[in-house]
Amino acid sequence: MRAALTSDLAIREAYQADVSGLRMVPEAVARPASEAEAVDVLREAQAAGTAVTAAGAQSSTTAASITDRGILLSMRAYHGIVDVDPIARTARVRAGTLVADVKQAVAPLGLTWAPDPTSEHESTVGGAIACNASGARTYRYGPTRAHVGALRVALADGRVVEFHRPTIEKNAAGYGLAQDPVDWFIGSEGTLAVVLEAELRLMPRPTEVVGLALPFADEALALRFIGAAREARDVAPRCLEYFDGAALDIARSCEQVDLPAPAGSTLVYTEQACVTPSALDAWLALAEGHGAAAGDVAVFEGESAIAHARAMRHAVPAALNERGASLRGTGGRRVSTDWAVPFGRLEEAIAAARAIAARFGVPPAVTYGHAGNGHPHQNYLARDAREVATMERVVEETLRTVIAMGGTIAAEHGIGKLKRRWLPLQMSSLQIAVMRAVKRELDPTGLLAPGNIF
Ligand SMILES: Cc1cc2nc3c(=O)[nH]c(=O)nc-3n(C[C@H](O)[C@H](O)[C@H](O)COP(=O)(O)OP(=O)(O)OC[C@H]3O[C@@H](n4cnc5c(N)ncnc54)[C@H](O)[C@@H]3O)c2cc1C
């Protein structure tokens, strides 16, 4: 089993980066291809008092999947679909399977797995579960948590345990937080256990889907349209994504998508499944009624057109990641946010973030993303360490503001190492102590993913 473990420098360096912009070279790398190998690594690490940080595809934006302490346990080689039950609509998959590969495997059965992080081609099921990842379509279908039925995990000492969600409709036995152990691990960022396998809850794959790209002259019009689409009864969006002018410029420059939006405008991208001609008319009427540039609306019909539109959406964070990485040589990087607010406060929150940036002399962030859930991403590009520090002060002030609005500092990317200092802004010391108590019980020696969350 030792074959799974190496301290070769070139291999360790190959695992030193995720998408946070930070670098941490692990002391060793383990790449188990079986459950037995993964368990062996954990047992030996426990005996030696060595830390173990699980990693999937390392697309984390928060430095959650890199470490310079102990073993980086890459689960990428432990992949594959174990079985699919089309009647029960479940798929049992290994942790290292890519999210997009799950979807591809079950599509011929007329099924899909709902979670759709923009990074679905570069994100594993284990990583999506450990971060409780979301995506554009979370607007309609909910985050990863809603689509996991059972988990097989290895605890810190190598014990393998399997948990299934209760199927009862009522339960008054004990504390709520203990009733469904599957929930302990979803969003735990590798700190409580290593996910080995998951039973995913599938849903029928919509066959007729339409995407609409709707240009608006400014941000206020676009955000008000999103508010109207949330309320309208004759449309049923499965996502409501927003691009400000800067994000739109990036999408335009990176992809060959025929984007109708005139220069200087903003854009709302939405999708609806099972769309009828009257629903399409309703979308266009709603958009026109809210000031969309009606002549410039683009319609994406069918899966391949939708995939093209999604490529445009993916191009924005991907390009910003690349631009951030190119600033590494001068000590700079991308500084990004993952905050969300109740939808009613979204316009105010974005305006507040812009005002805070202006006060610090920082150019406005590129703003895009899951506005339908009150969850835009904001990205700043820092050219050197001094700018990183200034932009992090902008982010911290923004987070204080969004928390005062009832928001969160991390809606889908988790806390990792980059955001842990801000967690106490949102969570009381009592909440953090309860999380620590759970951690102590499951990982008494604190060897799993040190530095993540806490
Ligand atoms: C271009 C781009 C777009 C993105 N868009 C989205 C988006 O729309 N929505 C979204 O939610 N996120 C998004 N992300 C962030 C990221 O892709 C997701 O969080 C993703 O789910 C992480 O999966 P991963 O396999 O890369 O995990 P990693 O980055 O390898 O790990 C992430 C966390 O999971 C833990 N982990 C990984 N595997 C296991 C395991 N088997 N057991 C226990 N813990 C484990 C790690 O310790 C770490 O804490 C994006 C990232 C990029 C680069």
Side-chain angles (χ1 to χ4, degrees):
M1 304 301 173
R2 281 236 151 234
L5 196 68
T6 175
S7 53
D8 181 287
L9 180 62
I11 295 175
R12 290 191 289 130
E13 283 181 348
Y15 288 88
Q16 66 177 317
D18 55 12
V19 187
S20 61
L22 305 194
R23 294 280 189 279
M24 293 183 182
V25 180
E27 292 172 299
V29 170
R31 294 172 291 178
S34 68
E35 177 175 306
E37 285 184 345
V39 165
D40 240 40
V41 171
L42 285 166
R43 281 206 190 112
E44 288 185 21
Q46 184 73 209
T50 305
V52 177
T53 298
Q58 293 190 296
S59 64
S60 167
T61 63
T62 64
S65 51
I66 52 175
T67 187
D68 51 13
R69 290 176 59 187
I71 300 169
L72 191 290
L73 177 67
S74 170
M75 294 300 288
R76 190 64 192 90
Y78 188 52
H79 63 88
I81 314 271
V82 179
D83 61 53
V84 180
D85 182 338
I87 308 294
R89 289 188 191 148
T90 57
R92 198 174 173 86
V93 307
R94 297 192 181 107
T97 316
L98 292 179
V99 172
D101 289 350
V102 174
K103 294 185 185 192
Q104 199 182 356
V106 301
L109 302 168
L111 297 170
T112 191
W113 192 47
D116 71 326
T118 313
S119 53
E120 62 186 5
H121 291 276
E122 54 205 311
S123 147
T124 62
V125 167
I129 289 171
C131 293
N132 190 24
S134 293
R137 295 171 197 154
T138 292
Y139 176 73
R140 175 148 296 263
Y141 306 124
T144 295
R145 188 183 298 282
H147 305 280
V148 177
L151 286 179
R152 185 173 175 85
V153 301
L155 301 179
D157 59 8
R159 263 178 303 156
V160 174
V161 204
E162 186 151 338
F163 296 104
H164 292 254
R165 284 203 188 276
T167 49
I168 41 177
E169 289 176 18
K170 298 174 75 176
N171 191 1
Y175 297 165
L177 61 78
Q179 286 174 349
D180 185 353
V182 170
D183 274 335
W184 297 347
F185 303 102
I186 299 175
S188 66
E189 301 187 37
T191 60
L192 299 182
V194 174
V195 176
L196 299 168
E197 281 180 18
E199 183 186 279
L200 309 179
R201 291 177 169 166
L202 307 176
M203 62 173 223
R205 179 167 172 262
T207 46
E208 286 173 26
V209 186
V210 165
L212 290 148
L214 304 150
F216 290 86
D218 61 41
E219 187 164 273
L221 284 174
L223 296 182
R224 278 168 212 162
F225 166 74
I226 290 175
R230 280 167 51 96
E231 301 296 326
R233 288 171 176 265
D234 48 359
V235 296
R238 72 174 184 180
C239 67
L240 285 164
E241 297 280 296
Y242 170 65
F243 298 73
D244 76 356
L248 206 45
D249 284 344
I250 293 173
R252 235 190 237 108
S253 68
C254 294
E255 282 295 325
Q256 302 312 312
V257 175
D258 184 19
L259 260 189
S265 65
T266 64
L267 190 90
V268 175
Y269 176 72
T270 185
E271 289 173 3
Q272 180 164 334
C274 304
V275 82
T276 57
S278 66
L280 205 51
D281 289 345
W283 270 116
L284 295 174
L286 189 69
E288 274 188 71
H290 285 82
D296 293 324
V297 171
V299 179
F300 302 86
E301 277 187 84
E303 280 299 331
S304 74
I306 296 271
H308 208 45
R310 276 182 70 82
M312 162 192 88
R313 169 66 179 79
H314 178 264
V316 179
L320 287 162
N321 291 339
E322 268 175 39
R323 289 182 195 182
S326 73
L327 298 165
R328 218 180 100 69
T330 51
R333 64 172 169 85
R334 183 179 61 109
V335 177
S336 64
T337 74
D338 183 33
W339 56 261
V341 286
F343 180 79
R345 308 295 296 270
L346 180 61
E347 201 178 330
E348 193 188 341
I350 294 177
R354 294 230 167 89
I356 292 165
R359 193 145 40 79
F360 280 86
V362 166
V366 179
T367 302
Y368 63 94
H370 320 304
N373 282 125
H375 177 206
H377 291 296
Q378 296 202 297
N379 281 234
Y380 303 95
L381 289 171
R383 288 168 297 186
D384 53 34
R386 195 183 49 81
E387 286 192 359
V388 170
T390 309
M391 288 169 185
E392 290 201 323
R393 288 176 66 200
V394 170
V395 170
E396 178 166 328
E397 273 222 28
T398 305
L399 295 181
R400 288 180 191 280
T401 305
V402 303
I403 290 165
M405 292 178 182
T408 176
I409 64 170
E412 66 180 17
H413 293 180
I415 299 296
K417 299 175 184 70
L418 269 184
K419 292 181 180 163
R420 68 183 173 206
R421 76 188 116 140
W422 294 318
L423 190 61
L425 298 179
Q426 180 177 341
M427 281 189 146
S428 68
S429 53
L430 183 58
Q431 285 172 297
I432 293 174
V434 169
M435 291 203 299
R436 279 190 188 281
V438 173
K439 163 94 173 151
R440 253 195 319 275
E441 196 56 37
L442 290 168
D443 175 21
T445 46
L447 292 178
L448 290 183
N452 282 1
I453 303 179
F454 304 106

